[in-house]
Amino acid sequence: MFELDVAKAADGKHVAIAHGLTDDYLRHWEIYDAPQMSERTSKWFTAQKLCSCSSGGLSTMSLADITERLKEDEAIIAIFDLYNLWSAAAAFAQEVKELIADRHELWNRILIECYFQDQVEVVSLVSTGINIIFCVKDMAARRYSEFYICLYYQ
């Protein structure tokens, strides 16, 4: 089981292991010489090595890479954290849907973490069978627990 932070690159595609491609996020991953925001595409990001100063470097992955791994290995479960994709959650879910194509059974091994009811609603409209983890901050949101896996945090 893998929990993957997702960011939207300048070309509109999604990449894993970063909540964002801002300078602050990239410095956290030890990428210091990033190009302008408009050039931070999925191709650029997946060519980077993360944490190359403190380790041998970690590979990044595109959403296409991840879905290919899901197709190849039935033991993998992917949890996609959409923390910074407030307005792009539906586009992310749509990209997943297009990448898995007719392999609908893959939805059984994909969970999408959403943080707002609006995100939950737009993601659930993309396809039947989407598993959503609704991360809710206040306990009043218990009313959603019969519909979603709810993760409460403070």
Side-chain angles (χ1 to χ4, degrees):
M1 184 177 299
F2 298 94
E3 198 263 12
L4 304 155
D5 298 338
V6 178
K8 188 173 184 178
D11 57 2
K13 297 189 189 259
H14 295 89
V15 293
I17 320 185
H19 273 307
L21 298 182
T22 63
D23 290 340
D24 288 341
Y25 279 111
L26 294 177
R27 277 192 293 273
H28 174 75
W29 292 109
E30 299 177 5
I31 297 174
Y32 301 106
D33 58 347
Q36 297 295 320
M37 286 296 287
S38 61
E39 298 173 21
R40 297 178 190 182
T41 63
S42 58
K43 183 177 180 179
W44 171 81
F45 186 72
T46 56
Q48 304 306 304
K49 290 290 184 185
L50 305 179
C51 301
S52 58
C53 298
S54 59
S55 72
L58 305 171
S59 297
T60 59
M61 298 180 82
S62 68
L63 189 53
D65 295 334
I66 297 163
T67 54
E68 282 307 309
R69 294 284 191 314
L70 281 165
K71 291 175 184 177
E72 295 167 2
D73 189 340
E74 293 182 13
I76 294 175
I77 297 171
I79 302 171
F80 294 106
D81 185 344
L82 305 188
Y83 181 74
N84 265 348
L85 295 180
W86 311 133
S87 62
F92 170 81
Q94 185 63 41
E95 187 176 347
V96 172
K97 180 180 177 181
E98 291 167 7
L99 287 166
I100 65 174
D102 60 347
R103 300 280 309 271
H104 303 286
E105 75 280 2
L106 293 178
W107 283 121
N108 295 330
R109 295 187 287 118
I110 296 172
L111 293 99
I112 298 178
E113 278 182 88
C114 295
Y115 291 83
F116 297 101
Q117 182 62 26
D118 293 352
Q119 273 186 317
V120 170
E121 290 170 4
V122 297
V123 167
S124 63
L125 291 174
V126 170
S127 180
T128 57
I130 293 180
N131 297 299
I132 296 171
I133 298 174
F134 186 21
C135 301
V136 291
K137 189 164 185 163
D138 77 49
M139 297 303 280
R142 285 186 187 268
R143 66 180 181 255
Y144 301 116
S145 63
E146 71 180 85
F147 305 108
Y148 310 107
I149 302 167
C150 289
L151 174 66
Y152 297 96
Y153 66 96
Q154 295 183 3

